[in-house]
Amino acid sequence: MSLSQSYAPKLIYWMGRELYEKVQEAALRSMPDIVVATPGRMIDHLRNSLSVRLDELAVLILDEADQLLELGSSAEIDELVYV
């Protein structure tokens, strides 16, 4: 059996505030392998949700990060890199 047949990573995807904050917090507490989120939304959870940690997260995909970099606003991305 190959790895792809025996392992299905847990993925969470959201942008902005399209889901309620408590739903997003619960999803993050479920120990996902991959999270896709906007930098601002991810920072908001890290600052305001005490039970949210990224210690075991394998992959964080920052949606819209390219737009922030093009605008010369890399502060949010820098903050996430150093968490």
Side-chain angles (χ1 to χ4, degrees):
M1 181 182 299
S2 72
L3 179 62
S4 63
Q5 292 173 332
S6 63
Y7 176 73
K10 185 186 287 187
L11 169 69
I12 296 174
Y13 174 79
W14 67 77
M15 294 181 351
R17 293 184 181 260
E18 72 181 31
L19 291 175
Y20 295 109
E21 288 184 40
K22 296 297 179 188
V23 173
Q24 293 177 357
E25 286 178 37
L28 284 170
R29 282 193 307 269
S30 73
M31 305 290 286
D33 300 303
I34 303 168
V35 172
V36 180
T38 59
R41 194 73 199 119
M42 193 71 244
I43 289 170
D44 184 51
H45 278 296
L46 291 171
R47 287 181 182 167
N48 300 312
S49 304
L50 298 177
S51 60
V52 171
R53 297 179 53 170
L54 301 180
D55 296 348
E56 300 295 321
L57 186 65
V59 178
L60 173 60
I61 299 171
L62 298 176
D63 192 29
E64 301 178 6
D66 59 328
Q67 294 172 359
L68 286 173
L69 292 172
E70 286 175 8
L71 296 171
S73 178
S74 62
E76 290 179 331
I77 296 169
D78 290 341
E79 184 174 345
L80 283 170
V81 167
Y82 295 107
V83 166

